[in-house]
Amino acid sequence: PTDLSEPHAATRVWQDVASAGIVVDILVNNAGSGVYGRVAQQDPDALERMLQVNIGALTSLTRLALPGMQSRRWGRILNVGSIVGYQPAGPCMAGYYASKAFVLSFSKGLARELVGSGVSVTILSPALTESSFEERSGASNTRLYRLLPKMTAAAVARAGYEGMKRQSAVVLPGWTAKLLAFAGELPPRRV
C-alpha cells in the first residue's frame, strides 16, 4: 500500500515491484480522488494531492511500465478516467474535470503512439458509479449526483476489462456515459 498523492510515490512503487522480480504486463491506473468547491476556497494541499494522484502517479506508472511492455511487444494499460473528461467545464470541480481531461487526452495520444507495438492503451470513462467518491470529494449534494443514474462498480469494471481485452481505445460504459461524451464533444466549449 502506498499513498500515491505523495511526490515520487509511483517511482517507489515501481522500484518495489521491480526488486521483487515482478513483470508487469497489465497496468490498471485506477487510483483517483476529487475535491469539491471553488478553487480559491479549496485547501491547496488537497488540490495538489488530487492532481498528483489523478495526473502525476498515472503518468509516472505508465511511463515506467512502457519500456518493459515494448521490449516484450505485449502489454495492456487501462487508465480510469471519467465522463467529465469530455465536458467543457466543471464549476466547483474545475481541478477534477481538468485532471480527467488530461487522462483522456494522454490516453488517446499514447494509444496512437503505440499502434503496432503490441501494447494497447484503453481509457475507461464511466459516468456516475456507485462508490464513496461523491461523499469523499464533497460533491454528494450536487444536482449531478442526485439526478443521473449510477452504474455498479462491478459493471463499470467489467466494461473496462472487456474493453481492454478487445484493445479498445475508449470505453464508455452505459448509455449515460455515451450520451454525455457525445453531448460534451458537440457544442462549442462555451455551451
Side-chain angles (χ1 to χ4, degrees), residues 28-33 54 58 78-86 96-97 99-105 107 122-129 133 156 171-173:
V28 178
N29 283 307
N30 185 45
S33 68
N54 294 3
L58 178 140
L78 176 62
N79 289 330
V80 179
S82 170
I83 195 61
V84 303
Y86 288 88
Y96 178 74
Y97 274 54
S99 73
K100 293 307 179 174
F102 172 88
V103 174
L104 177 63
S105 181
S107 299
T122 300
I123 172 78
L124 171 61
S125 296
L128 297 181
T129 305
F133 172 81
V156 170
V171 175
L172 296 161

Side-chain angles (χ1 to χ4, degrees), residues 6-190:
E6 296 175 5
H8 309 293
T11 302
R12 288 192 301 275
V13 166
W14 194 260
Q15 289 168 342
D16 290 346
V17 166
S19 67
I22 299 170
V23 173
V24 177
D25 287 325
I26 299 174
L27 173 65
V28 178
N29 283 307
N30 185 45
S33 68
V35 179
Y36 183 80
R38 295 178 180 271
V39 172
Q41 281 85 47
Q42 289 176 348
D43 175 349
D45 190 48
L47 181 60
E48 191 170 316
R49 285 192 320 269
M50 179 198 67
L51 294 173
Q52 177 59 36
V53 171
N54 294 3
I55 297 172
L58 178 140
T59 304
S60 294
L61 287 169
T62 300
R63 165 60 187 90
L64 292 164
L66 279 172
M69 290 178 176
Q70 288 179 302
S71 70
R72 291 185 298 278
R73 298 204 44 78
W74 198 94
R76 301 290 177 262
I77 299 170
L78 176 62
N79 289 330
V80 179
S82 170
I83 195 61
V84 303
Y86 288 88
Q87 304 308 307
C92 294
M93 289 196 87
Y96 178 74
Y97 274 54
S99 73
K100 293 307 179 174
F102 172 88
V103 174
L104 177 63
S105 181
F106 177 73
S107 299
K108 285 181 163 185
L110 185 58
R112 296 292 301 152
E113 279 183 25
L114 295 170
V115 168
S117 71
V119 180
S120 67
V121 178
T122 300
I123 172 78
L124 171 61
S125 296
L128 297 181
T129 305
E130 291 175 4
S131 72
S132 60
F133 172 81
E134 64 267 15
E135 187 177 314
R136 284 197 267 159
S137 69
S140 58
N141 290 325
T142 64
R143 190 175 311 146
L144 178 72
Y145 285 98
R146 288 193 319 265
L147 298 178
L148 290 179
K150 295 179 184 175
M151 288 185 72
T152 67
V156 170
R158 192 175 311 105
Y161 176 71
E162 293 298 328
M164 182 187 67
K165 282 188 350 185
R166 286 189 312 272
Q167 300 179 53
S168 300
V170 176
V171 175
L172 296 161
W175 68 267
T176 305
K178 289 171 181 55
L179 178 66
L180 289 173
F182 183 72
E185 295 280 298
L186 281 182
R189 293 308 235 179
R190 288 192 61 184

